[in-house]
Amino acid sequence: MKQVKFTPPPPKANLIGHRGIAASAPENTQASFRLAAKQGIAWVEFDIRLTKDNKLVIFHDDTLERTTNGSGWVHEHSLKELKKLDAGSWFSPRFSQETIPHFSEMIPEFHKLGLFLNIELKVPPKATQQHCDALSSALIDDLLNNWPSDAPQPLVSSFDWVILASIRERLPQVPIGFLHENCSAKMIEMVANTQNSALHCDHESLSDDMIALCQEHAIPLLAYTVNHPEIARNLINSGVYGLFSDDPQRLLNPLGLT
Ligand code: G3P
Ligand code: MG
């Protein structure tokens, strides 16, 4: 059995708040991350993307319409323009003060909250090489210059594996998560041959055989997005390492984590 070195998880690590606690607060906002800490969910996932002026913001979609009062592509706006938008009212009027978080400014806040982080890198469709390089450089700069030396390394994931390779090249100590909608044997073999890495797949693509193969190779397998208690229990009992959930608190009891 191949041993893959992987950064040890915090307590209750196998539950990861998806975009913070997306079920109860506007996704990828400070309110969502504070709520995770308040609920005792130690690990959160969030998405980052590049602005027009090469800053990193915490935001899921390519465009602004669904979760803000703005419109258009995120990467065609400057940080200053994005910071003026309301990123909470779409969810509920009581979150109208929420703005799109600037990743650098959130780093001390995340550590104050004691959260372990999964940073997912997003790129717009048909992103240029220049865009991808600027995105990975911006994250690497933050990790090198602004990351507290006593804080655990974040798990950095992406559907774009070329970006992950560029991060691995410059920061080999940072664990990486290979994201894919479908889990396959070929993919498992590739992850098994990459030190300090994990595989993140859509839970609907996972068969018992694939889960067993990950276990055989000692690969941490993380499944998204799991909100149903029975599905969560089956996945964890089958050997899935971690679950992304919009409502992780709801899964604590069924998983025997309370
Ligand atoms: O990182 C797991 C999951 O967040 C991937 O899908 O679209 O929610 O970012 P998405
Ligand atoms: Mg994500």
Side-chain angles (χ1 to χ4, degrees):
M1 187 187 288
K2 188 172 169 13
Q3 286 304 313
V4 176
K5 184 176 158 278
F6 191 65
T7 306
K12 297 182 187 171
N14 38 2
L15 278 184
I16 305 151
H18 185 231
R19 309 180 196 172
I21 305 289
S24 309
E27 64 183 52
N28 286 337
T29 62
Q30 277 211 36
S32 196
F33 303 129
R34 285 203 201 108
L35 185 61
K38 198 171 160 200
Q39 291 186 353
I41 303 300
W43 191 351
V44 291
E45 181 263 6
F46 56 86
D47 311 282
I48 57 169
R49 45 176 73 246
L50 198 67
T51 66
K52 191 177 165 185
D53 49 345
N54 291 342
K55 310 283 188 213
L56 295 175
V57 285
I58 301 182
F59 201 81
H60 178 270
D61 293 3
D62 293 320
T63 54
L64 294 162
E65 284 80 353
R66 183 178 64 89
T67 59
T68 74
N69 58 345
S71 64
W73 298 97
V74 177
H75 69 281
E76 290 181 353
H77 290 75
S78 66
L79 176 65
K80 199 172 165 194
E81 286 164 342
L82 293 170
K83 285 305 293 181
K84 288 183 188 148
L85 301 176
D86 169 351
S89 290
W90 70 276
F91 189 86
S92 157
R94 70 193 164 92
F95 292 109
S96 64
Q97 298 306 308
E98 292 301 318
T99 56
I100 298 174
H102 177 198
F103 174 64
S104 300
E105 284 176 11
M106 277 299 293
I107 294 174
E109 174 78 8
F110 282 131
H111 296 298
K112 228 187 287 161
L113 293 171
L115 293 169
F116 184 79
L117 308 177
N118 172 202
I119 304 170
E120 184 192 337
L121 292 150
K122 293 281 193 205
V123 287
K126 300 192 187 139
T128 60
Q129 188 58 46
Q130 196 190 5
H131 181 99
C132 296
D133 291 346
L135 172 64
S136 53
S137 291
L139 178 63
I140 289 166
D141 284 353
D142 268 333
L143 296 182
L144 288 174
N145 302 323
N146 300 328
W147 204 257
S149 54
D150 57 345
Q153 296 288 349
L155 169 60
V156 174
S157 63
S158 186
F159 286 102
D160 190 320
W161 294 10
V162 176
I163 292 186
L164 289 181
S166 73
I167 289 170
R168 168 51 53 91
E169 208 176 278
R170 288 179 57 195
L171 293 177
Q173 73 278 21
V174 170
I176 49 178
F178 293 93
L179 261 162
H180 204 280
E181 282 175 12
N182 300 302
C183 186
S184 72
K186 205 171 150 206
M187 209 175 284
I188 292 170
E189 198 188 312
M190 196 281 300
V191 178
N193 288 320
T194 309
Q195 284 294 302
N196 202 11
S197 70
L199 181 59
H200 303 189
C201 294
D202 187 332
H203 79 90
E204 288 183 10
S205 77
L206 299 175
S207 64
D208 285 346
D209 285 354
M210 289 300 151
I211 297 171
L213 195 57
C214 285
Q215 284 201 303
E216 215 175 282
H217 287 283
I219 292 176
L221 174 62
L222 284 74
Y224 65 86
T225 303
V226 182
N227 295 326
H228 196 287
E230 203 178 309
I231 296 175
R233 203 171 27 234
N234 289 341
L235 289 168
I236 292 292
N237 289 343
S238 314
V240 169
Y241 175 88
L243 306 177
F244 298 93
S245 179
D246 295 322
D247 194 2
Q249 197 181 39
R250 187 169 166 229
L251 305 181
L252 289 174
N253 241 331
L255 294 177
L257 291 171
T258 47

